[in-house]
Amino acid sequence: MTPRAMFGGVGLYHRGVFFGILARDTLYFKTDERNRGDYLRPRVKAFAPYADKPGRATRYYPVPLEILESAPELAVWARKAIAAAQNT
């Protein structure tokens, strides 16, 4: 994994593939139609890099706390995010 500064946070890359964002103390992973359902819960919003443009949300969603607390599960979700990023 390679981190790079972006959007006032950090972009996460795996072998050149941008799959995650760490911003405002929140980890966001890339989603597509295969894994987006894992992230959609009440009041969960996609990463929006510009506060003054709320309609410009991305396909990056916050990783749930219970996933962050489990290294094996976090690795599974990261692999799914990498796959989503490779397919877009």
Side-chain angles (χ1 to χ4, degrees), residues 18-21 27-41 44-47 57-64 77-88:
F18 176 46
F19 74 95
I21 302 168
L27 176 61
Y28 299 86
F29 278 164
K30 175 78 173 203
T31 65
D32 64 9
E33 60 281 347
R34 294 171 296 171
N35 69 340
R36 192 169 300 120
D38 295 340
Y39 295 81
L40 299 179
R41 300 177 315 278
V44 172
K45 295 182 181 177
F47 176 70
T58 65
R59 292 183 180 171
Y60 292 81
Y61 283 84
V63 177
W77 283 49
R79 283 191 290 276
K80 289 180 181 180
I82 292 165
Q86 290 172 326
N87 292 322
T88 56

Side-chain angles (χ1 to χ4, degrees), residues 41 63-70 73:
R41 300 177 315 278
V63 177
L65 181 59
E66 61 271 14
I67 301 303
L68 292 172
E69 292 176 340
S70 169
E73 284 297 311

